[in-house]
């Protein structure tokens, strides 16, 4: 066992703590959040933050990657363990309810001048969502004529509307119920 192995594990833990703290700080404070606040919340020195993330945009991009990974993981879990009759609707709901968390990071990245390009994670998310839709259609709980591109347009519009419109929880729930009802067979 070399001395560098414990440091690498420690560095991984620090990075995870920084990302978790940054998600919280940016969600609470938005663009006014500082890397100093992130370091304090994570319990690390500011130099540790900069060693992992040289610029604020690097930190935001890493948060976005982590959020996307969690979205894909959630879809994969529902595919593997969820009820095919309800997993699609559960995932659609999860995406809309997660929109505020994701939207804050997207907005901050835009302010930093960093574009959000579709990547392998987005493709994986879309493919997983397609598998959930197919399973719901086979179970008879989703409209057989609903296409994945239409579903993606609906989830994008709903999540963006909830975020941009600062919807109340009640409005989000009612709107989501209407959208999901439209995806059920007639």
């Amino acid at each position: 066992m070399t001395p560098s192995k414990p440091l690498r594990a420690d560095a991984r833990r620090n990075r995870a703590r920084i990302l978790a703290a940054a998600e919280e700080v940016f969600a609470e404070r938005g663009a006014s959040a500082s890397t100093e606040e992130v370091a304090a919340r994570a319990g690390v020195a500011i130099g540790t933050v900069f060693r992992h993330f040289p610029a604020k945009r690097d930190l935001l991009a890493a948060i976005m990657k982590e959020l996307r990974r969690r979205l894909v993981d959630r879809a994969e879990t529902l595919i593997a363990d969820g009820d095919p009759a309800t997993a699609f609707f559960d995932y659609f709901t999860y995406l809309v309810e997660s929109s505020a968390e994701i939207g804050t990071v997207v907005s901050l990245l835009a302010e930093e001048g960093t574009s959000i390009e579709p990547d392998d994670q987005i493709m994986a998310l879309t493919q997983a969502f397609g598998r959930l839709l197919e399973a719901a259609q086979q179970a008879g709980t989703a409209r057989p004529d609903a296409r994945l591109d239409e579903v993606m347009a609906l989830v994008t519009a709903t999540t963006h509307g909830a975020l941009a419109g600062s919807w109340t929880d009640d409005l989000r729930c009612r709107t989501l119920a209407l959208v999901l009802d439209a995806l059920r067979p007639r």
Side-chain angles (χ1 to χ4, degrees):
M1 185 167 160
T2 64
S4 64
K5 289 202 186 244
L7 293 175
R8 290 172 57 157
D10 187 48
R12 282 193 307 273
R13 282 192 301 274
N14 282 343
R15 186 177 194 282
R17 287 182 18 214
I18 292 166
L19 284 174
E23 279 187 54
E24 293 173 5
V25 170
F26 288 125
E28 292 167 10
R29 306 213 5 105
S32 66
S34 70
T35 50
E36 288 81 7
E37 291 173 281
V38 171
R41 178 84 52 100
V44 299
I46 189 68
T48 303
V49 173
F50 287 125
R51 202 169 19 261
H52 287 280
F53 308 102
K56 189 175 183 179
R57 84 172 59 92
D58 298 320
L59 180 56
L60 291 167
I63 293 169
M64 190 69 202
K65 186 174 184 173
E66 176 63 19
L67 291 170
R68 286 177 173 176
R69 184 196 58 75
R70 286 198 307 250
L71 292 175
V72 171
D73 289 352
R74 176 72 176 255
E76 293 296 337
T77 297
L78 285 168
I79 290 166
D81 302 327
D83 178 356
T86 60
F88 167 75
F89 298 100
D90 293 344
Y91 192 62
F92 196 113
T93 300
Y94 174 73
L95 288 175
V96 173
E97 290 176 351
S98 300
S99 65
E101 178 182 12
I102 295 166
T104 300
V105 175
V106 170
S107 296
L108 291 171
L109 281 168
E111 288 175 22
E112 289 285 321
T114 304
S115 63
I116 307 295
E117 299 296 327
D119 61 6
D120 291 342
Q121 288 178 312
I122 295 297
M123 291 173 53
L125 179 109
T126 302
Q127 290 169 352
F129 212 0
R131 294 195 333 249
L132 290 167
L133 174 61
E134 288 173 16
Q137 288 170 326
Q138 290 172 1
T141 58
R143 293 175 62 139
D145 61 336
R147 294 179 12 188
L148 181 57
D149 60 344
E150 296 164 340
V151 169
M152 295 306 291
L154 285 170
V155 77
T156 300
T158 308
T159 55
H160 181 71
L163 180 65
S166 300
W167 292 354
T168 64
D169 289 344
D170 180 58
L171 177 58
R172 188 186 70 245
C173 288
R174 288 183 289 120
T175 303
L176 185 57
L178 287 170
V179 171
L180 293 179
D181 187 53
L183 291 168
R184 296 186 193 281
R186 299 283 161 242

